Amino acid sequence: MIRTVVFIIAFSLCVSAVWAKDERSIKKLRDALVAAAPDVDPGEAEMLSVTAHTASRSLAREYGLVWTPIFQNFLIHMGKRQRGYCGHYTRDIGERLKELKLKTLVLHWGAAFAGTIDENNCLVVTARNQPFEDGIVLDGWRRGGRLFWCALKKDSEYDSGVDAQWRASRHGSYGVSAWKEDPLYTAWLHDYEHASQWQWHPAVR
């Protein structure tokens, strides 16, 4: 009985700590979106931030995430899990963000190192009439359900930061962002009539 009580208390504290981190991240992402352009609606930025964060956490549970995203990929490859690749996060978070029918913010589909074993997919959000390169990366996969976000140009893991020289030797991308917009999948993010008729499939298995 005592063990059960201790477990419940410990679990509650962990959940509270996680939610506190997400609350801070939600506010910072909202502020970053509002700062993207003078005509960005703060209420819309708030809805997008809350939805993206909560969807990412929810999907990790839905996918049955075990340990790390890389291990999850291994389990999917072995047939032990059905979903949890980066593209699944991007598609499923994107589907929930589509429901907001954004007016002052625009969703894009980003792909880094597409068609290789290093491929990653994410959502990129811009203000209206801003280029893809000026957007903010939203990546649910990278931190295993804890939404990662940053300015695309400052995403060091896919530019000149971690493993950059190693990646450059394989992809020739040192010092240049690896994120590129995928026009086909971006078009799906803007298609409200056929929201459920498209599924992302990994280019490399």
Side-chain angles (χ1 to χ4, degrees):
M1 180 67 178
I2 294 176
R3 285 184 179 179
T4 303
V5 172
V6 170
F7 174 78
I8 292 172
I9 293 172
F11 180 75
S12 298
L13 290 173
C14 289
V15 169
S16 296
V18 165
W19 180 244
K21 286 184 179 179
D22 278 359
E23 279 192 318
R24 288 193 294 272
S25 183
I26 287 169
K27 181 181 183 302
K28 288 182 178 180
L29 175 56
R30 179 201 65 198
D31 292 347
L33 292 169
V34 170
D39 62 348
V40 171
D41 178 1
E44 189 169 277
E46 175 86 17
M47 285 194 302
L48 185 149
S49 185
V50 170
T51 302
H53 279 84
T54 55
S56 190
R57 290 285 192 189
S58 174
L59 289 170
R61 293 191 296 271
E62 182 181 317
Y63 299 155
L65 179 70
V66 178
W67 294 344
T68 67
I70 298 297
F71 188 66
Q72 182 81 355
N73 286 8
F74 171 75
L75 291 177
I76 296 170
H77 186 73
M78 296 298 292
K80 303 296 184 183
R81 291 287 186 278
Q82 296 301 310
R83 297 177 73 77
Y85 281 139
C86 57
H88 294 140
Y89 276 98
T90 304
R91 189 227 185 254
D92 293 347
I93 295 173
E95 190 168 41
R96 297 182 193 190
L97 293 180
K98 284 177 70 169
E99 295 175 1
L100 302 178
K101 297 190 176 180
L102 303 169
K103 299 290 192 301
T104 65
L105 294 166
V106 180
L107 298 175
H108 308 260
W109 185 292
F113 308 119
T116 77
I117 60 171
D118 294 320
E119 179 175 351
N120 192 10
N121 294 266
C122 75
L123 293 166
V124 174
V125 185
T126 65
R128 287 183 302 182
N129 302 317
Q130 281 190 338
F132 173 82
E133 293 74 20
D134 288 343
I136 294 174
V137 168
L138 306 180
D139 187 345
W141 175 84
R142 196 182 312 190
R143 300 290 184 264
R146 177 169 61 86
L147 187 72
F148 170 88
W149 65 270
C150 74
L152 183 147
K153 292 177 179 177
K154 295 183 179 180
D155 190 355
S156 61
E157 292 183 58
Y158 289 89
D159 191 351
S160 57
V162 178
D163 295 331
Q165 292 179 330
W166 175 77
R167 289 180 183 277
S169 67
R170 302 175 61 188
H171 305 290
S173 62
Y174 185 65
V176 178
S177 177
W179 290 113
K180 308 296 179 189
E181 182 168 16
D182 188 306
L184 176 64
Y185 295 166
T186 292
W188 171 79
L189 287 167
H190 296 199
D191 181 359
Y192 298 114
E193 294 183 10
H194 307 92
S196 301
Q197 296 181 15
W198 174 85
Q199 290 284 338
W200 172 84
H201 297 284
V204 177
R205 293 181 183 274

